[in-house]
Amino acid sequence: KQEVTQIPAALSVPEGENLVLNCSFTDSAIYNLQWFRQDPGKGLTSLLLIQSSQREQTSGRLNASLDKSSGRSTLYIAASQPGDSATYLCAVSGVQTGANNLFFGTGTRLTVIP
Amino acid sequence: DAGVIQSPRHEVTEMGQEVTLRCKPISGHDYLFWYRQTMMRGLELLIYFNNNVPIDDSGMPEDRFSAKMPNASFSTLKIQPSEPRDSAVYFCASSLGTSSLANEKLFFGSGTQLSVL
């Protein structure tokens, strides 16, 4: 069964700092990897989706990379802002378990201090 | 579009009672998913539908859980009888269902916070 791990579990940084969130997964046979943001009491918002054939995706200040062979992904946030404070989750869909069965990590809770 | 709509936002009930959670997916989306989120286990897929047909319910924890999708714009997740260990946030999500399996973004509702006393 696919296992997804996110390190660190929590991260606190001063405003303006660049930061990296990490995600690792055990089965490299994936369809895609997604990064989500979850605000307290809210649902998840999809930030970036990287297909298995891609190496990275960018959206504004966010850049996600994928190294499928090593089972790793990183989410880079440039010039962090207090509004970036949230929990960030990564999720993968595997060839063995089907494209529609996403396995989620437990998330990294980010706090950006003004 | 208003996004995925779930109701109620909060539900408090007593052990043994029946609980029904409701979801309206984004119009035009062919796939609907029910997830459960707890501190201990994180987010887990319970069941998903394609064109109103249940495809994979292997994540449904027990026979006390059932889900239906009578039409393309409505789904329910029912727990009968409810137990304290069912307390969690239940999310509904939908996706478009394109020909490319590698490019499916998932859109989540705001969730139902269920507390079983």
Side-chain angles (χ1 to χ4, degrees), chain B residues 25-109:
Chain B
I26 293 173
S27 176
H29 280 194
D30 290 338
Y31 285 86
L32 183 139
F33 305 80
W34 283 100
Y35 282 87
R36 179 171 67 175
Q37 186 176 39
T38 61
M39 289 292 292
M40 290 296 294
R41 301 172 68 92
L43 265 164
E44 300 174 291
L45 177 65
L46 300 177
I47 184 172
Y48 77 90
F49 295 82
N50 179 21
N51 291 321
N52 314 339
V53 176
I55 302 300
D56 184 352
D57 65 354
S58 60
M60 296 284 261
E62 301 171 34
D63 291 345
R64 298 184 296 106
F65 286 69
S66 63
K68 293 182 180 179
M69 192 165 186
N71 57 63
S73 59
F74 183 66
S75 176
T76 59
L77 178 67
K78 186 176 293 186
I79 309 173
Q80 165 65 16
S82 58
E83 296 183 4
R85 60 195 166 114
D86 301 331
S87 298
V89 182
Y90 291 81
F91 287 103
C92 177
S94 68
S95 68
L96 191 58
T98 66
S99 59
S100 172
L101 295 173
N103 202 30
E104 284 292 333
K105 273 196 175 183
L106 211 54
F107 296 83
F108 280 77

Side-chain angles (χ1 to χ4, degrees), chain A residues 32 34 38 41 43 51 100-101, chain B residues 9 31 33 37 45 102 104 109:
Chain A
N32 61 51
Q34 297 188 53
Q38 184 174 24
Q51 298 177 33
N100 291 303
N101 194 350
Chain B
R9 289 299 310 276
Y31 285 86
F33 305 80
Q37 186 176 39
L45 177 65
E104 284 292 333

Side-chain angles (χ1 to χ4, degrees), chain A residues 2-49:
Chain A
Q2 178 77 267
E3 292 192 11
V4 182
T5 304
Q6 291 187 246
I7 295 173
L11 181 64
S12 191
V13 300
E15 182 178 1
E17 194 162 294
N18 303 326
L19 59 101
V20 174
L21 307 180
N22 297 293
C23 172
S24 61
F25 47 95
T26 54
D27 185 353
S28 61
I30 63 172
Y31 283 114
N32 61 51
L33 181 145
Q34 297 188 53
W35 282 94
F36 292 85
R37 168 187 174 135
Q38 184 174 24
D39 293 282
K42 301 283 181 64
L44 282 70
T45 301
S46 180
L47 298 173
L48 292 164
L49 182 151

Side-chain angles (χ1 to χ4, degrees), chain A residues 1-7 22-35 50-55 65-74 90-95 102-105:
Chain A
K1 180 185 172 183
Q2 178 77 267
E3 292 192 11
V4 182
T5 304
Q6 291 187 246
I7 295 173
N22 297 293
C23 172
S24 61
F25 47 95
T26 54
D27 185 353
S28 61
I30 63 172
Y31 283 114
N32 61 51
L33 181 145
Q34 297 188 53
W35 282 94
I50 311 176
Q51 298 177 33
S52 63
S53 59
Q54 298 174 327
R55 297 289 296 216
S65 67
L66 174 64
D67 184 343
K68 201 173 61 165
S69 61
S70 68
R72 295 180 188 275
S73 175
T74 61
C90 69
V92 296
S93 63
V95 173
L102 281 180
F103 287 88
F104 283 83

Side-chain angles (χ1 to χ4, degrees), chain A residues 12-19 61-62 76-85 88 110-114:
Chain A
S12 191
V13 300
E15 182 178 1
E17 194 162 294
N18 303 326
L19 59 101
R61 294 181 295 106
L62 305 180
Y76 174 83
I77 302 177
S80 58
Q81 303 171 358
D84 296 331
S85 298
Y88 291 81
L110 173 66
T111 303
V112 180
I113 304 165

